Amino acid sequence: FGRFNLTSVADLGLEVMFENVEIEDTTDDTGYWGAAADGKYLLISADEGNTLDVAAQVGAGIMTRDDYLLVHVPFGAVASHDFVMNDGRRIVPYGGVYFLFDYLDVNAPAGAPADYDESSTDFDVEMRIGASAEIVKRGSLFAALHAGNGTMFFLGFNAGL
């Protein structure tokens, strides 16, 4: 995963992944490949009259294997506020609402009935909350909770180069 500043108000995120999972009711494993990109654009910047930064974000990603394709498209907005500590470090809590569109296409395994092939679409709303805390110059810890159709918790480190 990487996030890159394109301008002072826009950035680009890129992600590539591989996941190896055990197939249900067997001892076999299967691998999924995925890739995604997203862009974030600062709509409103905090200033004397406004205490919040507000950004719009849109992305698209895929996860696939031979008989499986998932297309995931999130879009939404996030608001944050910087709190500057006495030593100059920043703590930045944020919250946002995202809309998630998913398209899933699963092909029939060998020997399955002809009408087994399935595709579906899903549309969900997700709340995202989190915070980052600068622990060293140009480096911060972050934690985030995404709750909607499913729940995910993230913990990580951001490093400015």
Side-chain angles (χ1 to χ4, degrees):
F1 178 81
R3 183 155 294 283
F4 308 94
N5 291 330
L6 300 176
T7 69
S8 63
V9 296
D11 63 316
L12 174 69
L14 300 173
E15 183 175 345
V16 177
M17 59 83 64
F18 175 77
E19 181 177 14
N20 192 40
V21 296
E22 187 175 304
I23 299 173
E24 190 174 323
D25 299 326
T26 72
T27 59
D28 296 334
D29 290 343
T30 188
Y32 293 87
W33 288 95
D38 75 272
K40 190 182 325 181
Y41 186 81
L42 183 64
L43 298 171
I44 301 170
S45 183
D47 56 26
E48 290 181 24
N50 175 37
T51 60
L52 294 177
D53 288 320
V54 178
Q57 188 170 9
V58 64
I62 63 167
M63 189 165 67
T64 187
R65 69 171 194 239
D66 290 340
D67 58 352
Y68 178 96
L69 172 66
L70 173 64
V71 177
H72 182 71
V73 180
F75 56 96
V78 61
S80 64
H81 177 74
D82 291 11
F83 291 96
V84 180
M85 302 294 104
N86 291 338
D87 61 2
R89 295 186 206 176
R90 295 180 185 274
I91 296 177
V92 184
Y94 69 87
V97 175
Y98 284 76
F99 301 97
L100 309 171
F101 173 78
D102 289 321
Y103 169 76
L104 175 64
D105 184 26
V106 180
N107 295 324
D115 62 349
Y116 179 87
D117 286 357
E118 292 188 20
S119 66
S120 64
T121 60
D122 189 34
F123 188 78
D124 290 302
V125 177
E126 181 176 88
M127 302 296 291
R128 297 180 180 183
I129 59 170
S132 68
E134 190 175 25
I135 57 171
V136 296
K137 187 170 180 78
R138 301 179 55 92
S140 58
L141 290 175
F142 70 88
L145 177 66
H146 296 190
N149 188 28
T151 302
M152 293 183 287
F153 177 73
F154 301 90
L155 186 61
F157 184 80
N158 289 325
L161 303 176

